[in-house]
Structure formats: C-alpha cells, structure tokens
Amino acid sequence: MPHKFNDARRDKFPKAKYRVSNCPEYNESLRRRGDVTIWVSDDVVQKWRSPRRKTRGGQSRYSDLAIEICLTLRVVFRLPLRQTQGFVRSLAKLMGMALVVPDFSTLSRRGKGLKLPQNRRAASKPTTLIVDSTGLKVHGGNDWHEEKHGTKKARKTWRKLHIAFDPETGDIAATELTTEHVGDVTALPALLTDMDADVSRFLADGAYDVQGVADCLIEKFGHGVEIIIPPPTTAVHGKNAQRNHHIDVIAQNGRMSWQTKTGYNQRSRVEAQIGRWKQAIGDRLQARDFDNQIAEVKMASKALNRMTGLGRAVYERVV
C-alpha cells in the first residue's frame, strides 16, 4: 500500500538505505548452511534403524528420523530421489558411519504422511502472527519452448502454500499446502491447528476480511487477540467491534495513518519470507503425489527455520 500510495511522486524523495551491521556473523551463518554436518546429528547411527513394533504387521527397517534426514537433504540441495540415495550413501561413507541408506522407492513411500513437528523457537512474550499465501509450481510445459517453437501450451498444475510467520523470532510458525482452488479464508483453520503459541496480534491482507476469520481467531487465541486486517473502501459497520474501529479511524485520519498506527506495514515481512523460500528452496515442488508434497513443504519450513537459527542479518538505516 505505501508504494502504491506514493507511486506518482516517488521520485520526489530519496529511497531509504540500510546496511548489515553484523556482516562477519551473518556471512558465517550463510556458509554453515552448506555444511552437511548441520543437517545430520551426531546420534544418527543409534536412531537410524526403526524400533521393533510389538503389534502385528511388517517391521520397518528405517526410522522416521532416517527418512526425514534423507528427504531434508533432498529439499535443501534440490536433489532427485535417486541422487539423494547416492548422496546420503557417500556422506555416510565419508563420515565413517555404517549405515544402510533407504532406496528411492522407500523414500517416496515413507514420505507420505510423515509426521514432522515444527521446530520453531519459543517467543519471550506474546507474539505477532502474519499470514499470507503464494503459489508453488508442480509440473507443466517449458515456457521457452512454447514461445520459441510454438508448441502447444501444456496444462500446468500448481499448489497453494499458506504461511504463518513470527516476526520476532523470524521463524515460520506454521504451513499448510492446499490445491489452487482452496481460498485463504478456508485454509486458515487448518493452518492454525498446531499453533500453541500465545498470539496477541494477527496481521493479514484484505482477503481475510470476513467474519469467519475473526471467529476463528477468537476461538483459537481468545478475545484479547488484536486483528489487523484492512477493510475495503466500501466497508460498513458490522458486529465486529475491532473492524468497526478500523473503519472509523480510516475514515477520520486516512488509510496511511491507520497503517502506521496499527503496524500493518509489518505485513511486508511475510512477503519477504515468501521470497526467501523461493530463493533458498525454489518455486517448484519436486514431488508429484499430494501427500509427498505436504511432507516436502513441512521439511522445507523446518530447514528454513534451522537456517534462521544459524544467524540472521541485523539491519540499520544509513543516514
């Protein structure tokens, strides 16, 4: 909104400049992201094999941890399943570990429905939650071939990734993957299902401006949660007192003043997180099966949170 509001006179004032104040620490954290020992724990040998089950049925050869490590390395380094098997096998050999690596078919089969708890850091105080969504490609024709050689346009499939971002810790608090036909409001209850943090403020764009979102947030976090969602220009008063107050403030002081007072401009941080996802992980899902795609997204969010834990850039404005 600020960029659109000032677009006609953007050349009249200089753009704000920032610099990273902790360059040595941040550079080292970026190097450590490529260190394979970050992604493989020291006790991996003891936990590699699955514990024997005491109920009827076949015995699993590999533990969930072994499958998670292999698939996480696949997501981080963008490897096909067969190359993932070879990569982990060579890594175990170089590290002197006597491990039998799961084959590619086992990785694909065990990836479906794999339970992955989110490894987000606990906030020191009631936190702010920022929610947004984006699209991830699945498969489709090559745009260059379509334009250069006039090939028939292929039907492309994509998924919708919903992200809940914690700006205090910089972690992805929750993710939800849906088909392209599921709206943001419909996916919100499932996105917040595993959230156990104390949320005091909720920020989202105008697509979430419906009464069902407010009811869902109050049921999940209590009546004390502050809901900051911009109402449309044609909005009228309803039964939501917070929304009515936002409408009155915007009508009296203007939308830009309302954004500054409520801190709505912080919502851009989740868009930056989406850009970080597509740069570090990619804008395309590798798996074809929907259940495997869900597991892939969970592993990607855990990997990004682990990267954040290694170190974050600290910015300061240049005067």
Side-chain angles (χ1 to χ4, degrees):
M1 176 63 190
H3 177 79
K4 298 177 184 177
F5 187 84
N6 297 308
D7 187 51
R9 55 190 180 90
R10 181 151 296 275
D11 58 334
K12 302 299 181 181
F13 53 90
K15 182 179 179 181
K17 296 182 179 180
Y18 296 85
R19 72 178 185 91
V20 180
S21 59
N22 61 335
C23 282
E25 295 82 3
Y26 183 55
N27 286 336
E28 181 59 28
S29 70
L30 295 179
R31 297 187 190 100
R32 294 184 66 193
R33 294 181 184 182
D35 188 350
V36 292
T37 60
I38 295 296
W39 310 101
V40 181
S41 58
D42 297 332
D43 57 348
V44 64
V45 178
Q46 291 76 17
K47 298 181 179 180
W48 191 262
R49 295 190 63 87
S50 176
R52 291 188 60 83
R53 58 185 299 178
K54 299 180 180 180
T55 57
R56 298 179 62 181
Q59 299 291 335
S60 298
R61 189 174 185 181
Y62 309 100
S63 64
D64 289 344
L65 176 64
I67 302 299
E68 180 182 349
I69 289 175
C70 293
L71 294 181
T72 299
L73 290 172
R74 179 200 184 199
V75 169
V76 172
F77 296 103
R78 305 184 190 182
L79 300 173
L81 285 175
R82 290 173 175 82
Q83 293 183 19
T84 302
Q85 179 185 356
F87 179 72
V88 178
R89 186 168 55 191
S90 62
L91 180 62
K93 183 179 180 180
L94 291 174
M95 298 179 66
M97 298 179 179
L99 300 178
V100 180
V101 181
D103 57 70
F104 62 91
S105 60
T106 301
L107 293 175
S108 177
R109 175 174 50 84
R110 291 284 302 275
K112 296 181 180 180
L114 189 64
K115 302 299 181 181
L116 297 172
Q118 199 74 11
N119 61 336
R120 62 184 300 268
R121 291 168 290 176
S124 58
K125 57 183 180 180
T127 185
T128 298
L129 198 65
I130 313 176
V131 172
D132 203 355
S133 64
T134 186
L136 296 177
K137 300 177 184 177
V138 178
H139 58 81
N142 188 295
D143 295 336
W144 184 84
H145 278 282
E146 294 174 2
E147 181 177 352
K148 183 71 175 179
H149 301 290
T151 57
K152 184 179 178 181
K153 289 185 176 294
R155 293 189 62 183
K156 299 183 180 180
T157 304
W158 57 284
R159 303 295 185 214
K160 203 168 185 179
L161 173 64
H162 307 264
I163 290 181
F165 177 68
D166 183 357
E168 180 182 352
T169 61
D171 288 340
I172 298 175
T175 57
E176 183 70 17
L177 188 71
T178 64
T179 61
E180 66 271 25
H181 306 294
V182 178
D184 296 342
V185 175
T186 306
L188 184 62
L191 178 65
L192 303 178
T193 298
D194 298 331
M195 284 287 301
D196 55 356
D198 185 11
V199 176
S200 60
R201 299 171 75 238
F202 177 87
L203 277 71
D205 58 22
Y208 294 85
D209 183 47
V210 296
Q211 184 59 37
V213 170
D215 296 338
C216 175
L217 295 174
I218 292 174
E219 180 182 356
K220 181 67 177 179
F221 304 116
H223 290 273
V225 60
E226 182 183 4
I227 304 173
I228 304 175
I229 299 175
T233 55
T234 58
V236 296
H237 285 191
K239 65 177 183 178
N240 190 331
Q242 288 194 53
R243 184 173 182 272
N244 295 340
H245 176 69
H246 293 326
I247 294 174
D248 294 337
V249 172
I250 292 174
Q252 182 177 359
N253 303 322
R255 190 170 293 267
M256 292 295 293
S257 176
W258 172 83
Q259 290 187 184
T260 303
K261 291 181 179 178
T262 58
Y264 175 75
N265 293 334
Q266 288 291 315
R267 199 194 65 82
S268 62
R269 298 185 62 179
V270 71
E271 296 180 350
Q273 188 69 16
I274 290 174
R276 176 184 177 229
W277 181 300
K278 294 187 176 182
Q279 182 180 24
I281 304 299
D283 62 349
R284 183 182 297 271
L285 293 167
Q286 294 177 289
R288 294 297 181 92
D289 186 84
F290 186 63
D291 292 333
N292 290 96
Q293 292 170 358
I294 294 175
E296 182 180 341
V297 164
K298 297 293 184 183
M299 292 176 190
S301 64
K302 289 189 66 175
L304 287 175
N305 288 348
R306 186 174 295 185
M307 293 178 186
T308 302
L310 296 176
R312 300 171 62 187
V314 178
Y315 293 96
E316 63 179 17
R317 187 164 181 172
V318 178
V319 180

